[in-house]
Amino acid sequence: MPCSGSSVTIISKCVIYPNTKSTIKSLKLSVSDLPMLSCQYIQKGVLLSSQPFHISDLIASLKHSLSLALSHFPALAGRFETDAQGYVHIVCNDAGVDFIQAKAKHLSVDVLLPANEDVPHYFREFFAFDRTLSYSGHSRPLAAIQVTELADGIFIGCTVNHSVTDGTSFWHFFNTFAEICKGAKKISKSPDFSRDNIFNSPAVLQLPEGGPKVTFSGNEPLRERIFHFTRESILKLKNRANNSPLINGNGLLESAEIFGKQCNDTWKIVSRCKGAKTAEISSFQSLSAQLWRSVTRVRNLPDSKTTTFRMAVNCRHRLEPKLSPHYFGNAIQSIPTVASAGELLSRDLSWCAGLLRKNVAAHDNATVRRGVEDWESAPRLFPLGNFDGAMITMGSSPRFPMYDNDFGWGRPLAVRSGRANKFDGKISAFPGREGNGSVDLEVVLAPETMAGLESDTEFMQYVSAVV
Ligand SMILES: *[C@@H]1O[C@H](CO)[C@@H](O)[C@H](O)[C@H]1NC(C)=O
Ligand SMILES: *[C@@H]1O[C@H](CO)[C@@H](O)[C@H](O)[C@H]1NC(C)=O
Ligand SMILES: *[C@@H]1O[C@H](CO)[C@@H](O)[C@H](O)[C@H]1NC(C)=O
Ligand SMILES: *[C@@H]1O[C@H](CO)[C@@H](O)[C@H](O)[C@H]1NC(C)=O
């Protein structure tokens, strides 16, 4: 999609302050927050249909709702401060967040959501703090909202410093902002700002002089597409991942003899034999495995090349004692799973999905704690990127309540992101708009890899048009 010059006009810009003063003084960045200082701000937003109000009334209402929402999330209205010992804190000083009103009245919803085409670059201009590193939260606001008026709709883009929230806390804030705007007198979920947990560490992260640098190029040519998977497609994939050694090319069960022979070979057959439920491969692991296989195939790597599939896991419920599901901050760890290109492609989907499942299942209380200790022994920034041409990084989650953002005139038409943290092999998983287990994958790839994926029948057979 050509994008020459700016398609968005900024109408006004102001700072919005919390409606009530913060009762929290400061929050020290944790083991899970600090590595994100070298990541860019999270930029996610919702495309909504035309609002029934006059734009000036809507803007006033959004500003007021944002101010009320910030009272519940004082951390977002603060600033970073590094103390003499090298600890970085969010000082909850009510310094406020940026609010930007913009318009792009020549852009319609149809143009922004084309069927079977790349995501238009226009979305990049619907977010504040383009390509800003989280480290800059020392001087800049930690969050910004941009509201862009379109021909027949409106886009609300939210940008939040990644060292302040992970995806779970990001959507918690966004959902709260929407529910207040819709008229809620009391918010449904209050954030938990307690810091008495394993992530609160005495370790100091030494930052390079002048602050961290972005870890990926950001200038390479990239294509971006949304692939939609219906509930039925996902179930087919999951079935294949859980049953494939038992099913021949026609989808029929192989003989009991083969079933018996393979009974001890792979974990899932064992689980079938023993009826152990915990061993089931999830829908998301099945979809991830298919993507890993297909992208690796079209990258044409040598058989011996090690490929890496990285995904972030939410640690809130993995720890014992558990963190509150509303714990505010980052509580994520990144899990790499590796396999050689040759093995990935010669084995079946089930084998690949089994590797992912095994790693995720192993990420329990003890593993999370080991991850923290490991980081404490060598504090470092998070290396986000594709450093050897054979990596895939899965972010976001189809479980995030992205469509639960009704600002008063209906659910979003679509969820889209800005340019932040994108490189060849960066995938973000969103729930499908129809819910019910459907998934949208936002796939960012080198142009030739994307072209290959579009003609990979093993992958494309599961992709549907958005309804
Ligand atoms: C997030 O906060 C960190 C710490 O102050 C800051 O360095 C970084 O630039 C901020 N990121 C963004 C995108 O503002
Ligand atoms: C599976 O393993 C069990 C115990 O390890 C063994 O007793 C059994 O004979 C094996 N079954 C097959 C089909 O190989
Ligand atoms: C979780 O790990 C901690 C630290 O090793 C340990 O004390 C605790 O008993 C563990 N809890 C469970 C339920 O495994
Ligand atoms: C979800 O999918 C199932 C199976 O297709 C269907 O029976 C059910 O009605 C769907 N629910 C919603 C809310 O669409």
Side-chain angles (χ1 to χ4, degrees):
M1 179 71 44
C3 180
S4 51
S6 183
S7 33
V8 170
T9 309
I10 304 292
I11 296 175
S12 69
K13 208 169 159 180
C14 65
V15 175
I16 301 291
Y17 303 95
N19 189 58
T20 53
K21 290 223 168 309
S22 175
T23 52
I24 301 170
K25 282 185 78 162
S26 86
L27 296 166
K28 193 174 88 182
L29 293 191
S30 75
V31 166
S32 188
D33 299 325
L34 286 167
M36 311 312 283
L37 283 173
S38 59
C39 296
Q40 294 169 338
Y41 276 52
I42 303 178
Q43 296 177 315
K44 296 268 175 358
V46 295
L47 179 62
L48 298 157
S49 59
S50 281
Q51 78 286 356
F53 320 104
H54 191 276
I55 187 70
S56 57
D57 292 339
L58 175 70
I59 294 292
S61 160
L62 286 168
K63 285 179 179 175
H64 181 58
S65 308
L66 179 58
S67 168
L68 292 171
L70 288 172
S71 300
H72 298 281
F73 292 83
L76 290 172
R79 293 291 183 273
F80 286 144
E81 210 171 276
T82 300
D83 67 21
Q85 292 154 293
Y87 295 116
V88 184
H89 305 261
I90 305 169
V91 181
C92 302
N93 57 1
D94 300 319
V97 307
D98 281 0
F99 184 96
I100 297 140
Q101 182 188 354
K103 67 174 181 183
K105 301 277 284 190
H106 57 295
L107 295 178
S108 65
V109 167
D110 279 357
V111 166
L112 291 167
L113 302 179
N116 294 318
E117 278 180 38
D118 287 14
V119 176
H121 286 179
Y122 301 121
F123 287 101
R124 296 174 175 181
E125 295 183 70
F126 296 170
F127 294 90
F129 298 139
D130 193 26
R131 292 187 283 188
T132 305
L133 283 198
S134 293
Y135 180 78
S136 62
H138 281 77
S139 54
R140 293 165 180 257
L142 297 176
I145 295 286
Q146 179 174 324
V147 179
T148 307
E149 197 189 357
L150 308 164
D152 54 354
I154 199 144
F155 191 87
I156 301 182
C158 182
T159 304
V160 172
N161 193 300
H162 211 326
S163 292
V164 179
T165 71
D166 58 14
T168 302
S169 292
F170 176 95
W171 289 106
H172 183 181
F173 168 68
F174 205 116
N175 292 162
T176 305
F177 174 33
E179 89 179 320
I180 290 174
C181 192
K182 195 180 177 205
K185 291 282 168 276
K186 207 170 168 303
I187 69 169
S188 54
K189 307 174 289 190
S190 287
D192 176 348
F193 291 103
S194 60
R195 285 293 186 268
D196 53 344
N197 61 60
I198 183 81
F199 293 118
N200 187 348
S201 166
V204 173
L205 172 64
Q206 299 294 340
L207 291 168
E209 190 92 26
K213 298 277 174 293
V214 67
T215 51
F216 53 92
S217 119
N219 294 321
E220 58 197 333
L222 293 173
R223 283 185 58 195
E224 176 179 336
R225 275 196 65 170
I226 306 278
F227 293 107
H228 180 66
F229 299 85
T230 62
R231 169 195 171 82
E232 287 68 32
S233 279
I234 298 274
L235 288 179
K236 269 188 219 159
L237 254 170
K238 181 175 174 181
N239 237 357
R240 195 174 126 224
N242 279 290
N243 297 309
S244 69
L246 298 181
I247 295 184
N248 66 24
N250 301 318
L252 298 172
L253 276 181
E254 299 278 13
S255 70
E257 187 193 17
I258 292 174
F259 176 79
K261 272 191 198 138
Q262 291 189 336
C263 209
N264 285 4
D265 277 3
T266 58
W267 64 268
K268 76 199 157 325
I269 303 300
V270 171
S271 81
R272 218 166 212 249
C273 300
K274 295 188 180 152
K277 230 185 145 61
T278 49
E280 191 181 58
I281 293 172
S282 73
S283 302
F284 190 58
Q285 288 152 8
S286 310
L287 178 59
S288 297
Q290 180 60 65
L291 183 81
W292 188 10
R293 272 167 66 80
S294 292
V295 169
T296 299
R297 175 158 43 229
V298 300
R299 278 177 169 165
N300 275 318
L301 304 167
D303 280 357
S304 61
K305 179 79 175 179
T306 300
T307 71
T308 308
F309 189 97
R310 253 184 198 282
M311 56 174 132
V313 293
N314 182 357
C315 299
R316 289 172 178 75
H317 59 283
R318 292 174 192 273
L319 278 167
E320 293 287 349
K322 292 186 188 355
L323 296 190
S324 159
H326 305 144
Y327 169 79
F328 185 86
N330 285 279
I332 47 174
Q333 285 177 339
S334 172
I335 307 183
T337 303
V338 299
S340 73
E343 194 151 35
L344 203 57
L345 296 175
S346 61
R347 304 263 198 159
D348 61 11
L349 179 74
S350 166
W351 180 83
C352 173
L355 290 184
L356 296 173
R357 189 212 65 91
K358 197 166 124 235
N359 256 348
V360 172
H363 214 84
D364 58 5
N365 180 45
T367 311
V368 173
R369 288 168 195 271
R370 266 202 309 279
V372 170
E373 286 164 16
D374 175 56
W375 189 87
E376 287 175 323
S377 69
R380 55 202 177 270
L381 292 161
F382 184 70
L384 187 66
N386 177 357
F387 304 103
D388 63 3
M391 297 184 171
I392 295 177
T393 301
M394 176 69 89
S396 230
S397 167
R399 292 179 188 220
F400 290 159
M402 302 184 188
Y403 285 92
D404 297 355
N405 286 306
D406 179 348
F407 284 79
W409 66 99
R411 298 163 66 235
L413 302 172
V415 172
R416 289 293 182 269
S417 62
R419 188 170 4 190
N421 300 317
K422 286 180 179 167
F423 48 84
D424 173 28
K426 175 64 187 294
I427 319 297
S428 299
F430 303 161
R433 185 173 192 268
E434 75 263 33
N436 212 5
S438 63
V439 176
D440 282 342
L441 285 186
E442 180 196 82
V443 176
V444 178
L445 289 172
E448 62 281 9
T449 311
M450 182 68 87
L453 187 64
E454 286 168 333
S455 37
D456 186 81
T457 51
E458 197 195 12
F459 180 77
M460 291 305 289
Q461 66 176 318
Y462 298 107
V463 174
S464 306
V466 180
V467 286

